[in-house]
Amino acid sequence: MGHKTRKEVIHSFQVNFFAMGILNTLPWDSLDKELTTSKPSEFIMDILQKTCLHAICLKNPPSLKYRRRFLTELIKRHEMVAAEPLDELYEALGELMCAQEEDVCYKTYFLPTGDAVSLAENVALIAQGTTGLVTWEAALYLAEWALENTHIFKNKTVLELGSGIGLTGIVVCRSSSLTKYIFSDCHQTVLQRLKDNITNCLTNSGSNSASVSVEELHWENVSDEQLQRIQANTIIAADVVYDPETIACLVKLLSRLLNCKVQENQPDVYIASTVRNPQTYDCFKEELERAGLRYVIMKDSVAQVFPYNRASTIEMVKIYV
Ligand SMILES: C[S@@+](CC[C@H](N)C(=O)[O-])C[C@H]1O[C@@H](n2cnc3c(N)ncnc32)[C@H](O)[C@@H]1O
């Protein structure tokens, strides 16, 4: 990796801090280098202002545990080079030591425009029997892909399956000129959190004036009336292929959606998946074939906008009849 300017280092800390990026992947080496050049306390103060003391953090903070670990690391790095301690660092950590951890924290993602999207997320990956209360990597990938393919959503009615807490849809609504976006999920707590996040992120955001709704939609028992009413031209979903028990009903629903023509046109269907278990993912592809559906693997390279763990394979398929 090339040399980062001071501004780039600060920006990278801000973006990663607000998305609660894995702490040891933050650019600590670049920070150490900068600290040895000049005015280490001023530099640390800049980082503090752009993270823990930033207005976004006061309103929508990352988890308490994350902020504590972040500040502890910052203090350690500062102590290694500075002659004098920096009071603001200890005051910020002191405040966090008295606070009580909550189940919900905020992750904030910055769009290429610089606008922030802050989502309430659960601290635990799986809670209340659902995976839907956190943002998964495939949702971030699909959002990055959507940012580069806004033409796909232009003037379309888009249905998202298994929206979870809404990152993908919120980014699509903020970046594309679509007609209507229908978020959907089956879990009551997820649906409530989704509605709260939509209210926070899409009301008065200056985003395009698409109509937005949230539907309770269970893949296993969607009525024909519900599908007819939705009339989606484009169907998207992120990280919905993970449970072998739900694959068959998901594929059956995709098949029904693909056969539900809107103005004589078949809808476009895009599914982004993190391939955690290749057997489960193969089972999805076999089920598509059994249902008479074809797919192509989308190989578009997508610019990295959001910080997330890119170690796992994420695959996106476009599905056809
Ligand atoms: C792994 S989460 C992915 C959430 C979001 N798309 C993301 O990637 O961050 C899977 C989502 O699918 C929803 N889901 C699982 N089974 C479902 C079903 N049978 N019907 C409708 N939604 C379902 C869950 O409630 C959950 O929100």
Side-chain angles (χ1 to χ4, degrees), residues 68-81:
R68 278 187 191 143
R69 289 178 50 214
F70 174 78
L71 275 175
T72 306
E73 193 60 34
L74 210 53
I75 290 173
K76 196 170 103 193
R77 305 283 167 149
H78 184 251
E79 280 176 351
M80 283 197 280
V81 290

Side-chain angles (χ1 to χ4, degrees), residues 130-140 160-168 184-187 190 217-220 237-243 246 249-250 253 272 276:
T130 176
T131 54
L133 292 165
V134 295
T135 298
W136 295 89
E137 285 88 355
L140 290 155
E160 184 184 357
L161 301 174
S163 298
I165 51 173
L167 183 274
T168 304
S184 75
D185 209 282
C186 64
H187 190 281
V190 174
L217 187 155
H218 299 246
W219 307 332
E220 45 281 87
D239 210 346
V240 288
V241 179
Y242 58 95
D243 177 357
T246 58
C249 65
L250 173 64
L253 172 60
R276 294 187 193 86

Side-chain angles (χ1 to χ4, degrees), residues 162-213:
S163 298
I165 51 173
L167 183 274
T168 304
I170 288 168
V171 172
V172 173
C173 290
R174 293 273 289 257
S175 56
S176 307
S177 318
L178 37 87
T179 303
K180 186 166 188 197
Y181 196 94
I182 302 139
F183 293 83
S184 75
D185 209 282
C186 64
H187 190 281
Q188 290 308 320
T189 317
V190 174
L191 286 164
Q192 189 49 55
R193 183 76 55 76
L194 175 61
K195 286 179 189 161
D196 293 345
N197 282 334
I198 292 170
T199 305
N200 289 338
C201 297
L202 291 180
T203 318
N204 302 327
S205 65
S207 57
N208 316 316
S209 53
S211 104
V212 167
S213 63

